[in-house]
Amino acid sequence: MTRDPRYDILFEPVRIGPVVARNRFYQVPHCNGMGYRDASALAAMRGMKAEGGWAVVCTEMVEIHHTADVSPYVELRLWSDHDIPMLARIAEKVHEHGSLAGIELCHSGYTANNLWTREVPMAASPMPTASYFNDPIQARGMDKEDIRNLRRAHRKAALRSKQAGFDLVYVYAGHGLGIFQHFLSRATNFRTDEYGGSLENRARLLREVIEDTKDAVGDTCAVPVRIAMSEFIGSAGLEPAEVEDAIAMMAELPDLWDLSLSDWSKDSQTSRFSEEGFQEPYIKGVKKLTTKPVVGVGRYTSPDTMVRVIKQGIMDMIGAARPSIADPYLPNKIRDGRLEDIRECIGCNVCVTHDYTMTPLRCTQNPSMGEEWRRGWHPELIRPKEEDRHILVVGAGPSGLEAARALGQRGYQVTLADKASQPGGRVTRESRLPGLAAWARVRDWRLLQLDKLPNVSLYLESEMTPETVAELGADQVLVTTGAKWLRDLTGRHVVVPFHHPEACDVLTPDDLMAGRRPKAKDVVLFDDDHYYMGGVCAELLAKDGHQVTLVTPAAVASSFTKASLEQKAIQARLLKAGVKILANHAVVAIAEGHVTLECAYTGEASPLAAGSVVLVTARRPVDGLWQALAAAGLPATRAGDCLAPGTIAAAVHAGRRFAEEFGRPALDFLEIPFKREVTALS
Ligand code: ADP
Ligand code: SF4
């Protein structure tokens, strides 16, 4: 297929200082939980973006010095020459496909706790460090010698980056994580010398470091600046007008302006809270200040929107982290006129949770993300079948859809059956909840792909029983029949099932998603799951006019969503909707008209009036069919939520894994099913 000429503009080359990007697709720096620990896996992941057509592919933040140690997070390091080969491998992988490699040099200032190095953190001004756990650490204010040393360290890191083969060497002042932003913002710079006070003074270090970097490597490397347009604390910190003034002062100094919001939760907003292009209001004033290329992000997945933002003069290159994770081949698909094949990011931030949990990146939409090197998976390709086989997949949720799609791609004959009248399983149900509509993309992309595979047949309203499975006579059965929310209070806090009196109105998320609603106006919702479901159900009920009390044994609502950067936004939305949040308590018993609460610390019991109760505690696999097939000795395997309930990302990955491994001899339990890199002893 050929591309639609209206997208030609996206494939124009862009000069960035001394280098030229072959098109306008720019993978901005993004974290991935692999960093220095999983160097080859990381290099392969970046290489895949280049293979898929991103003209610029950047690293995540790279610590330039041992006082910039952001452990326990696993990012990249460039503390000494020892680190160069690891970084060179990334640049090499990116170059293999004709793309430019960018490196985001970073000193994290008061956001580097130096937990590993035990160096005293340095900051523009003395202050407590910012960290997930509120560590009992304060940063010291930097003196003039520290500033000179920081400039030397940045210059050295730039030279090492050039040596490693990078084409773009960043100066990072974004996300509240780069020290040059800390100097720039009056929220973090209380200095009284020539580096504090007026905007010109606060911008001095940024200007000096841009000049240093240009001087060190600017002959062959482009020097982009990544800058935060707003800190969302009003005039106490950076606001677009002041940042524009700063940019105007240095407009032509860097080779590219890469615009973002601060902190990271504002920059990587989920689809529950923002639409594609949500950063445009903050960045649209910058292009008129500079002749240098401008890059911005905003979860762009639609080529028409990309064309619009370029034609409107909002940006010159389409920056993307998440859309490039969900689909490393996004540029090539637009180039080749294959728009329907674009795997659009759903904006769930599962990818981000793995930077926070310091584990390799993964993606709900793209199960091969992070597995390119470890398991040899490819986002677009899979090896052909070894021999003819007919595989029955029972359950067309995310797991079954992905398994059927990937098995179909391998060339097998696949029958996919679901008892529901609509495919998609939990994705279809959950996408009807407030703010989760974009999640349906997980289903829709897979259905479009299945449509192209004549060897895969989808049957809806087809409940499978051991008898109908046996009748079909497939060579292999994959059971992906999902899971159900529990109604007996058990989860993390309550371990012994509680059987409430018949008369009590007790619902689960499954009931709500099926359209049932609490009978009473006042509802107690017990969230012992701690991810998004409890908060989303509370939001739904509050919108329907219920008076909702969300009870959680945690200190905050939806506590795990701290890792998806959503927790504050969720709690704020619930409070604004009138939901009462009762933290540090669990529901331990349900009676007519009330529940019994237990304090998570003292164990003290107390009653709370509750006309109706919604339980969001845990799920149990729907694995009866698998049990029966296994007992009958039929070749059946289970995967996804039917094996162990988890995220949609885990279900998709499980479906893919079955398809990848089908036909290969089963590994012994003691064999590791993926590659890993073991540290070489010094
Ligand atoms: P996962 O997340 O693991 O993909 P889901 O709960 O999303 O699981 O999907 C499970 C799907 O299995 C649902 O669409 C459900 O209708 C279907 N299902 C469950 N039991 C049967 C059965 N016996 N026959 C056919 N389909 C079934
Ligand atoms: Fe997008 Fe979710 Fe994938 Fe992240 S995990 S890239 S937010 S689909």
Side-chain angles (χ1 to χ4, degrees), residues 214-407:
K214 292 275 287 190
D215 182 61
V217 300
D219 54 339
T220 58
C221 301
V223 178
V225 171
R226 200 177 199 192
I227 195 163
M229 295 304 298
S230 177
E231 293 180 321
F232 295 90
I233 47 173
S235 58
L238 295 173
E239 293 184 291
E242 191 181 41
V243 180
E244 283 178 16
D245 287 345
I247 291 174
M249 284 158 47
M250 297 175 270
E252 303 300 313
L253 220 47
D255 296 308
L256 175 141
W257 289 98
D258 175 349
L259 311 177
S260 60
L261 301 177
S262 179
D263 57 9
W264 191 13
S265 67
K266 291 286 193 270
D267 197 48
S268 290
Q269 294 179 33
T270 59
S271 56
R272 199 169 157 189
F273 294 95
S274 70
E275 299 289 329
E276 181 180 30
F278 64 94
Q279 302 209 3
E280 286 173 34
Y282 305 95
I283 65 176
K284 62 174 192 249
V286 173
K287 252 199 71 65
K288 63 178 184 294
L289 305 174
T290 175
T291 65
K292 303 292 175 172
V294 169
V295 176
V297 294
R299 269 195 355 263
Y300 291 105
T301 55
S302 144
D304 290 302
T305 313
M306 297 175 191
V307 169
R308 174 184 62 75
V309 294
I310 287 167
K311 287 200 167 156
Q312 286 180 342
I314 295 171
M315 57 183 89
D316 300 287
M317 300 187 79
I318 304 298
R322 291 172 291 176
S324 76
I325 293 169
D327 199 340
Y329 266 62
L330 188 148
N332 283 357
K333 287 176 182 174
I334 300 174
R335 181 197 65 191
D336 300 340
R338 294 169 50 215
L339 302 193
E340 79 287 357
D341 290 338
I342 296 174
R343 219 172 18 245
E344 291 182 282
C345 166
I346 68 166
C348 62
N349 275 7
V350 159
C351 45
V352 175
T353 66
H354 285 275
D355 190 56
Y356 268 101
T357 51
M358 299 146 232
T359 45
L361 174 67
R362 64 211 61 187
C363 170
T364 303
Q365 271 286 53
N366 173 13
S368 69
M369 182 44 56
E371 302 285 25
E372 300 86 353
W373 180 83
R374 287 205 322 175
R375 293 184 202 262
W377 293 4
H378 191 283
E380 302 302 311
L381 307 172
I382 189 164
R383 74 184 191 289
K385 64 182 177 183
E386 280 87 18
E387 48 186 339
D388 287 341
R389 282 278 183 270
H390 174 202
I391 303 155
L392 167 66
V393 180
V394 184
S399 199
L401 282 172
E402 174 65 11
R405 187 205 62 76
L407 288 165

Side-chain angles (χ1 to χ4, degrees), residues 394-400 417-420 424-426 429 462-464 480-483 625 639-642 651:
V394 184
S399 199
D418 200 298
K419 67 179 182 184
R426 64 182 288 195
R429 295 192 301 272
S462 305
E463 176 154 10
M464 300 304 288
T480 50
T481 44
L625 177 66
D641 292 321
C642 169

Side-chain angles (χ1 to χ4, degrees), residues 436-465:
L436 304 188
W439 293 21
R441 291 171 171 183
V442 173
R443 172 199 64 205
D444 295 343
W445 182 78
R446 288 173 174 80
L447 287 178
L448 268 170
Q449 301 304 309
L450 288 184
D451 251 4
K452 299 185 192 183
L453 293 166
N455 48 327
V456 182
S457 318
L458 167 64
Y459 297 93
L460 297 172
E461 297 178 338
S462 305
E463 176 154 10
M464 300 304 288
T465 60

